[in-house]
Amino acid sequence: MPTRATKRGAERTRLDRDCDVLVCGASFAGLAVARELRETGADVLLIDRYEIGERQTSACGIPTGWLEQLDLQDALQQTFGELVIHTPYTTVNYRLPWTFSTFDYRTLCELLAEQGSFTFETAKVNGRTAQTVHTDRGDIRAAHIVDGLGWRRVLGAGENIQPPDALLSRGLEVHPNGSGTDMEIWIDRSYVPAGYGWSFPAGAEVRIGVGSFDPRFHVREPTERLAEDLKAPAVRYQGNWIPHALREAAEDGVYFVGDSAGHCLPLTAEGIRTALYFGLAAGRELRGVLAGRRSAEEALTSYAAFSASHATAFRWMLRCQRLIPRVAPSLLAGSLRAMQSRRFLDWAFGHYLEIAHPRFVAAGSRGARLPISPSVP
Ligand SMILES: Cc1cc2nc3c(=O)[nH]c(=O)nc-3n(C[C@H](O)[C@H](O)[C@H](O)COP(=O)(O)OP(=O)(O)OC[C@H]3O[C@@H](n4cnc5c(N)ncnc54)[C@H](O)[C@@H]3O)c2cc1C
C-alpha cells in the first residue's frame, strides 16, 4: 500500500476561508486550470485530498507534443513511434505520424504546479451548496469554482453517477519493474470482451493493464493473467473508473473539467491530454473574467459551448468503441492489417490528435479565442 503523505486526524487544521477561484482536484485537469490563472493577481486556491503528485491515476501515456508544448519534458520516461496491436489472429505494427510517451506522474504534476501561482491545501471535498464547497476541513466560499475531481463529479447538481449503471469504463493496471521497447495493446476477448489490454514501458517499470468498456466486467483477473503472460509479477496495482461520455461542462455556475465532464476519449480511454486541453480552455475563460473582459456567465457559456463542440468526435469514438467488440476476430484482424498503409495511418491518427491538439497550448498564450473543435469525419 502506498503511504499517504497527507496529514490526518488531529494534525489537520481548519480550513474555512474565501477565495476568488477554487480549483478542486490537483491532477491533470485542475493543474491545467491553475496554470492559466498565473499572474492574474487572483486568490486561487487548489485543493486535493492528496498531496500534488501523490497518487498516480493512470498509465501516464500521452502524445509527446503535449509534454513539449507544456514544457514538461523532464517528466518524460520513454517515447514510442509505433503502436503494436495484438489480436488472436494477427499482430500489426502501426507507424504513428506523431510519437507517444510515458511520463512520471509525480514529476509532471510538480512541474505543472510550478507553472501556476496558487495556494495548495489538502482537503477532501464532500459537496457544495451554491458557491460554498464543503470539505472535511471546513467550508470554502469562492466566486468561481472548478470541479477537476475526476469521474465522481462531486460538485455536480443532483445525484452523482454511480457504477456500474453509468457510462463508465473500468481500468486496472500493475506496475512491475522491467523494461520494454514497444507500446503494445491487445484486442483479445480472452482478456476482455469489450475493451483492451496494454503494456506501456516507462523507464524502469512496465505498466500492464486491462480496461473494460463494460463496467460490469471485472478486470482484476485478466490484468493478472496478462501480466503473467508477459512474465511480469502483478505488483503495485492502480485502477479507477473512466467515464466514456461527455457530460455538461458547466452546470449551476461550476466548471467541470477532465473526467468530471467525461472528457476522456471513449474509444481509447485516453483522458490526460483532454483533461489538460479542457483545463487550459476553462482557465483561459476564467482569466478573461478576472481581467474584466467578460462576465462570469459569458465565460461559463463559452466554455460549455467549446466542450460541446467536440461532441461529434466523441460520438464517433463511442460508436467505434461499441462496434469493435461485435466484429468477428478474424475480420477484425483483416481490417487492422488493411489499415497499415502509411497514408491511412497518417489520416486516422492525424484526426485523432486533432481532437485535442498540442498546438492549443501556444494558441492560448498568443491570446487566441477558443477555436472551433475539429470533428472526425
Ligand atoms: C488504469 C488506468 C490507466 C489509464 N491510462 C491512461 C493513459 O495512459 N493515458 C491517458 O491519457 N489516460 C489514461 N487513463 C485515463 C486518465 O487517467 C484520466 O482520464 C485522467 O486521469 C483524468 O484526469 P483528471 O484530472 O480529470 O482526473 P484525475 O486524474 O482522476 O484526478 C482527480 C483528482 O481529484 C482528486 N479527488 C477526487 N475526489 C476528491 C475529493 N472528494 N476530494 C478531494 N480531492 C479529490 C484526486 O485525488 C485526483 O488528484 C487511464 C485510466 C485508468 C483507470
Side-chain angles (χ1 to χ4, degrees):
M1 278 287 286
T3 51
R4 185 175 168 151
T6 314
K7 290 192 176 53
R8 306 181 99 166
E11 288 185 287
R12 280 166 91 68
T13 50
R14 279 282 305 157
L15 181 64
D16 207 321
R17 57 168 284 191
D18 296 345
C19 62
D20 296 324
V21 185
L22 174 61
V23 182
C24 301
S27 187
F28 308 108
L31 287 168
V33 175
R35 173 193 190 267
E36 293 305 292
L37 301 179
R38 66 194 178 278
E39 293 158 18
T40 54
D43 178 12
V44 179
L45 176 63
L46 177 65
I47 59 173
D48 198 291
R49 59 184 162 177
Y50 302 117
E51 295 289 347
I52 292 174
E54 186 183 337
R55 281 287 168 102
Q56 181 164 336
T57 52
S58 76
C60 293
I62 191 169
T64 315
W66 271 94
L67 298 181
E68 291 163 352
Q69 289 296 314
L70 281 169
D71 204 12
L72 300 171
Q73 296 99 317
D74 285 353
L76 191 151
Q77 291 178 305
Q78 219 168 316
T79 296
F80 311 92
E82 284 187 356
L83 173 65
V84 181
I85 306 178
H86 305 279
T87 76
Y89 288 86
T90 194
T91 290
V92 293
N93 281 46
Y94 284 176
R95 197 168 145 206
L96 304 174
W98 39 268
T99 63
F100 205 82
S101 293
T102 45
F103 61 83
D104 179 74
Y105 181 70
R106 180 183 289 273
T107 310
L108 182 130
C109 289
E110 287 173 356
L111 289 171
L112 200 50
E114 278 169 21
Q115 296 180 19
S117 49
F118 53 82
T119 307
F120 175 75
E121 293 281 353
T122 56
K124 180 173 179 290
V125 176
N126 293 325
R128 175 182 65 90
T129 309
Q131 294 304 110
T132 301
V133 168
H134 311 294
T135 79
D136 63 344
R137 292 179 55 197
D139 286 353
I140 306 168
R141 293 154 299 276
H144 311 283
I145 298 173
V146 177
D147 181 333
L149 294 168
W151 66 271
R152 277 194 189 83
R153 198 178 164 96
V154 179
L155 300 181
E159 290 292 300
N160 288 339
I161 44 169
Q162 289 299 332
D165 303 318
L167 278 172
L168 294 167
S169 304
R170 203 190 259 273
L172 180 69
E173 61 184 16
V174 289
H175 294 183
N177 293 338
S179 61
T181 51
D182 295 325
M183 182 173 70
E184 298 173 87
I185 69 167
W186 284 260
I187 306 176
D188 185 334
R189 287 173 198 176
S190 71
Y191 291 121
V192 54
Y196 66 95
W198 64 86
S199 168
F200 289 3
E205 72 174 21
V206 185
R207 296 168 189 154
I208 299 169
V210 172
S212 170
F213 297 131
D214 177 354
R216 288 171 187 81
F217 184 84
H218 291 257
V219 288
R220 187 178 178 104
E221 186 279 326
T223 298
E224 290 171 348
R225 191 152 37 88
L226 178 57
E228 192 182 329
D229 292 348
L230 298 176
K231 303 196 176 3
V235 289
R236 291 185 285 276
Y237 289 78
Q238 187 278 117
N240 208 345
W241 295 98
I242 314 167
H244 58 239
L246 276 185
R247 310 189 69 201
E248 290 299 323
E251 183 184 59
D252 200 23
V254 177
Y255 290 80
F256 293 88
V257 184
D259 278 4
S260 71
H263 284 146
C264 192
L265 300 174
L267 177 60
T268 53
E270 201 204 333
I272 299 172
R273 74 174 148 123
T274 48
L276 294 169
Y277 172 77
F278 287 105
L280 297 182
R284 285 169 193 171
E285 291 295 343
L286 278 166
R287 207 180 164 83
V289 179
L290 296 168
R293 287 197 298 273
R294 73 194 75 161
S295 71
E297 205 175 314
E298 281 167 354
L300 271 164
T301 306
S302 169
Y303 171 66
F306 175 67
S307 175
S309 72
H310 297 68
T312 308
F314 275 71
R315 259 197 309 272
W316 263 94
M317 283 186 289
L318 188 56
R319 270 185 215 141
C320 293
Q321 183 215 92
R322 288 177 174 163
L323 176 72
I324 291 172
R326 293 193 198 133
V327 177
S330 56
L331 187 61
L332 180 67
S335 310
L336 289 172
R337 277 195 296 267
M339 290 190 280
Q340 272 184 110
S341 87
R342 183 75 190 265
R343 211 161 145 223
F344 178 80
L345 292 177
D346 285 357
W347 176 84
F349 282 92
H351 274 288
Y352 178 65
L353 188 65
E354 283 292 334
I355 296 164
H357 199 283
R359 83 168 82 82
F360 189 65
V361 179
S365 64
R366 287 197 295 273
R369 300 259 329 146
L370 298 179
I372 299 299
S373 151
S375 58
V376 173

